[in-house]
Amino acid sequence: MCGIRGYIGDEDAPPLLYNGLKRMEYRGYDSAGIATISDAKMLVKKDTGKVTEINNKLDFLSMRGNIGIAHTRWATHGGVTRENAHPHASCGLEVAVIHNGIIENYRSLMENLMAEGHHFNSQTDSEIIAHLLEKHYKAYEDEKQAVLKTASDLKGSFAFLAIFTANPNMIIGARKDAPLVIGVGKQGNFLASDILAFIDYTDKVLFLDNREIAIVKGRDMQVYTFEGKPVEKEVTQVAWEAKDTSKEAFAHYTTKEIHEQPQTLKAALYQDPNKVQEFCSAIERAKHIHITACGTSYHVGLILRNLLARLAKIRSDATLSSEFSHDAELIERDCLVIAISQSGETADLLFAVSEAKKRGGEVLSILNAVGASLDRESKLSLYINCGPEIGVAATKSFTGQLILVYLLIFTLLNDTRRLADLRDIWKAVEEVLKMEDKVVEVAKKYKECNDFYFVGRSLHLPIALEGALKLKELAYNHAEGMAGGELKHGTLALIEEGTPVVVLNPEDETYQEMLSNASEMKARGAKIIGVSNRPHEIYDDFIQIPTVDELLYPLVEVVPLQMLAYHTAVLRQRDPDYPRNLAKSVTVK
Ligand code: AGP
């Protein structure tokens, strides 16, 4: 998904914007650019490639001006070309704009504008915004009106920033179904898709709500609704710091975040007991519970569903957010929707939440990014407090979400013993991190295998799904997570000599059945990689995990799978922090 950021203030904009571009690289991109205004002239530099490569070619830092906008593009409309990179400018360079989102009605708008004499340089939907602003600015001779009219013309999702050569003292931002936050700095103000773009300069943040615009000047700003009504906003101090975003001694953010988990598991448990109790009460009184999320967060949702049924005898559905609206008829007036997300900006999830709210559903969320769109749409949010997760692959956020699920369930049941175990589970994770050398050995043995299977039962099935996803998205090995009981229903046909199978098999009620599965596969030539608290001769490779309360194994057994994916990626010369074709926050449907 694209990353947008802007600055206006006393300082030179290019160095701040360039740093912001690099900070946002994890959001995924294929081209980047900066526009500034200096001596009443618009300067635009942009190209395809990594931010540092483009800078080596175009020298962003030679640009001048105390106002500017910068963009990293993840192509949705139009190929990866210099012309399609942002910023986009109007015909006479009076306006420059950057955009994140998808404009659904851009073709009809473009036809009208071309009929009025506008010429387009790109194949993107985003460029339409620059020409609409140009047209409406000429008509109203007022930037705010031009932005409000443009916002009302657009259908789809957008967060855009615009600067005007006629008025180089302000940046205007507008957002609808895409993230946009404002950083309030000492020497100037920032606008961005994500706090990380300006975390080096300020932790004071103002969150825009949907269908709002902000007129940001060097010293102050004003927010309006799309209808032009002024809105008072509070400035929040976020708990993230610049140091959270450095790799420190680690080779990649991904491995740093895997190793942060003992600390982030502790941080996730720092919760306001009243909020936890309120969340539990909502679960208890709900007539029906829909759990919805995407990707890794969905795997957390599956465990929540399993634990609600097994321990609290509460029935719920866990539905992928992209599928949720197809079940919309199931959403009862007073249902409870539990949304789980790291970014709180996943478009599929936000759409599902809005569909549920339209039908009278109550939304509670478990998420990492305070102030994100999901947070603002939720009646109550529990924050996992794991700090910024830069690696595209979710690791610490997964275990952060998961430990909150356990906290809710054990609080609901008033299970003080297990609550105490939960508070100590970080020690078991610290233990299992010491198995890293063993995991590297396994990664070396099987790194070129292109069909991995991750097999588990009950609570281990979502972890099998998660392990497969990690390996796919980090190392690009094809992998399948599946239920042990399903092998005989087809997949066993694929098991052949040398097929690597990760068997999640700590000693609990699934232990014996999983050993049977392992022997069925081994008899057909599979290489069995056992993840368990107990060794067994059936395993060709064995990754020891500590013995913990059997309900808590998912929190521990996922860590070797994260490490396996990471090290396989490194051995295969992949870039673990920026996997191809993927972005950290999928802000388009
Ligand atoms: C996980 O490793 C992936 N990066 C992806 O599946 C992610 O979990 C999914 O896009 C949901 O993101 P969210 O938690 O921010 O909503």
Side-chain angles (χ1 to χ4, degrees):
M1 305 317 109
C2 301
I4 63 176
R5 75 281 297 148
Y7 171 78
I8 181 166
D10 304 337
E11 300 191 54
D12 218 14
L16 302 174
L17 293 170
Y18 179 58
N19 181 53
L21 285 176
K22 291 193 291 179
R23 279 277 181 226
M24 300 284 280
E25 283 187 310
Y26 78 95
R27 285 174 68 92
Y29 73 98
D30 41 53
S31 49
I34 292 180
T36 63
I37 298 174
S38 174
D39 300 330
K41 278 202 198 60
M42 188 74 73
L43 310 168
V44 181
K45 290 194 175 188
K46 61 182 185 178
D47 207 336
T48 58
K50 282 204 172 245
V51 169
T52 42
E53 291 161 0
I54 302 169
N55 184 53
N56 293 341
K57 259 196 281 182
L58 303 179
D59 190 5
F60 285 131
L61 300 178
S62 66
M63 299 172 81
R64 286 287 159 265
N66 70 324
I67 176 173
I69 53 178
H71 186 270
T72 42
R73 179 173 185 250
W74 188 86
T76 50
H77 282 80
V80 178
T81 64
R82 185 197 162 285
E83 294 69 32
N84 289 342
H86 302 212
H88 291 291
S90 57
C91 305
L93 275 179
E94 309 92 342
V95 188
V97 70
I98 54 176
H99 164 239
N100 176 29
I102 290 182
I103 306 301
E104 291 164 2
N105 61 335
Y106 81 96
R107 282 195 191 287
S108 56
L109 290 169
M110 183 165 70
E111 281 156 17
N112 296 341
L113 285 162
M114 287 174 83
E116 293 165 13
H118 288 262
H119 57 270
F120 285 77
N121 301 309
S122 78
Q123 294 77 44
T124 67
D125 54 341
S126 306
E127 186 183 353
I128 196 81
I129 301 172
H131 297 282
L132 284 172
L133 287 168
E134 175 190 12
K135 171 184 172 180
H136 295 318
Y137 182 65
K138 281 199 176 102
Y140 292 93
E141 294 187 346
D142 175 276
E143 293 83 359
K144 176 186 154 196
Q145 289 307 322
V147 169
L148 289 173
K149 183 70 180 78
T150 298
S152 66
D153 288 347
L154 299 175
K155 288 187 174 37
S157 62
F158 54 86
F160 68 78
L161 302 183
I163 53 178
F164 300 77
T165 45
N167 185 344
N169 302 313
M170 65 172 185
I171 299 181
I172 302 188
R175 69 154 294 190
K176 175 181 170 289
D177 300 337
L180 187 61
V181 291
I182 297 170
V184 184
K186 291 194 184 71
Q187 269 76 35
N189 292 321
F190 300 83
L191 300 95
S193 316
D194 188 313
I195 294 168
L196 286 179
F198 51 74
I199 192 72
D200 295 313
Y201 310 103
T202 182
D203 59 2
K204 308 247 178 338
V205 179
L206 185 149
F207 295 98
L208 277 193
D209 280 302
N210 239 5
R211 301 179 60 78
E212 288 182 346
I213 70 166
I215 298 179
V216 179
K217 298 182 175 169
R219 281 273 166 269
D220 56 27
M221 70 195 75
Q222 178 57 51
V223 176
Y224 300 90
T225 65
F226 276 10
E227 290 67 41
K229 189 164 147 293
V231 182
E232 281 310 308
K233 289 282 179 179
E234 264 181 37
V235 176
T236 310
Q237 182 158 6
V238 292
W240 288 4
E241 295 165 38
K243 72 170 180 48
D244 293 338
T245 62
S246 79
K247 281 190 276 198
E248 293 163 9
F250 291 93
H252 301 100
Y253 286 112
T254 305
T255 185
K256 175 196 170 199
E257 289 153 3
I258 291 172
H259 284 82
E260 279 181 331
Q261 289 179 110
Q263 291 73 33
T264 52
L265 284 167
K266 282 186 258 183
L269 289 178
Y270 293 139
Q271 295 293 332
D272 173 346
N274 298 325
K275 283 176 66 177
V276 173
Q277 196 49 60
E278 189 182 342
F279 209 115
C280 291
S281 307
I283 290 173
E284 279 177 321
R285 68 170 178 270
K287 288 209 183 62
H288 195 87
I289 299 173
H290 295 281
I291 302 160
T292 190
C294 303
T296 287
S297 299
Y298 173 68
H299 300 148
V300 174
L302 290 173
I303 294 180
L304 172 57
R305 191 210 64 77
N306 187 308
L307 292 172
L308 280 172
R310 183 168 158 180
L311 300 180
K313 309 292 178 270
I314 294 175
R315 187 186 298 276
S316 63
D317 291 318
T319 310
L320 285 166
S321 300
S322 55
E323 292 297 314
F324 190 84
S325 54
H326 304 303
D327 291 343
E329 284 62 43
L330 288 177
I331 301 165
E332 305 78 2
R333 271 215 63 66
D334 46 10
C335 72
L336 172 64
V337 174
I338 298 177
I340 303 172
S341 177
Q342 189 285 126
S343 64
E345 298 298 352
T346 301
D348 287 330
L349 177 65
L350 294 175
F351 181 71
V353 161
S354 69
E355 288 296 291
K357 289 178 77 173
K358 266 187 228 160
R359 289 169 172 79
E362 181 183 65
V363 178
L364 304 186
S365 62
I366 294 174
L367 85 157
N368 190 34
V370 177
S373 300
L374 176 63
D375 192 9
R376 315 172 78 66
E377 292 298 322
S378 301
K379 181 176 180 225
L380 173 67
S381 300
L382 292 182
Y383 304 121
I384 64 179
N385 309 323
C386 77
E389 185 174 68
I390 312 284
V392 165
T395 49
K396 64 178 181 177
S397 65
F398 175 79
T399 49
Q401 293 163 344
L402 187 52
I403 199 168
L404 278 191
V405 161
Y406 282 110
L407 177 65
L408 287 166
I409 297 289
F410 297 157
T411 304
L412 198 62
L413 300 170
N414 195 25
D415 188 334
T416 47
R417 178 181 66 78
R418 285 198 167 112
L419 282 168
D421 289 348
L422 201 58
R423 270 193 287 282
D424 287 341
I425 199 66
W426 64 271
K427 295 173 188 164
V429 170
E430 202 160 60
E431 267 316 292
V432 83
L433 284 168
K434 293 173 187 162
M435 294 302 295
E436 188 155 27
D437 290 349
K438 178 64 192 166
V439 173
V440 172
E441 263 178 51
V442 173
K444 282 178 181 163
K445 273 174 82 172
Y446 302 106
K447 66 181 172 22
E448 298 309 332
C449 294
N450 219 3
D451 273 312
F452 266 80
Y453 295 88
F454 292 76
V455 183
R457 291 172 178 253
S458 182
L459 283 176
H460 312 293
L461 172 54
I463 304 302
L465 298 174
E466 176 59 13
L469 175 62
K470 283 284 135 336
L471 191 66
K472 284 186 284 188
E473 65 176 331
L474 283 174
Y476 317 156
N477 295 66
H478 182 256
E480 182 176 344
M482 62 178 297
E486 278 297 291
L487 276 163
K488 287 192 285 296
H489 300 289
T491 308
L492 205 54
L494 291 177
I495 305 299
E496 54 194 18
E497 193 53 42
T499 304
V501 180
V502 176
V503 171
L504 297 169
N505 196 23
E507 274 186 294
D508 62 9
E509 96 276 1
T510 68
Y511 185 68
Q512 288 306 332
E513 287 179 314
M514 282 311 300
L515 282 181
S516 310
N517 285 144
S519 56
E520 281 158 16
M521 292 185 283
K522 190 159 181 119
R524 289 158 179 83
K527 292 297 177 196
I528 306 298
I529 304 158
V531 177
S532 177
N533 61 318
R534 181 174 159 189
H536 193 286
E537 75 272 2
I538 199 163
Y539 303 138
D540 297 288
D541 301 276
F542 174 57
I543 298 171
Q544 172 93 42
I545 61 174
T547 300
V548 296
D549 178 298
E550 63 179 48
L551 287 178
L552 297 180
Y553 277 121
L555 271 171
V556 181
E557 67 192 4
V558 71
V559 176
L561 309 191
Q562 295 169 343
M563 294 194 286
L564 177 64
Y566 169 74
H567 286 292
T568 306
V570 171
L571 289 167
R572 300 189 76 191
Q573 276 90 42
R574 312 304 192 193
D575 184 342
D577 290 339
Y578 311 117
R580 67 186 179 198
N581 308 338
L582 302 179
K584 183 62 184 173
S585 179
V586 184
T587 57
V588 290
K589 283 179 73 187

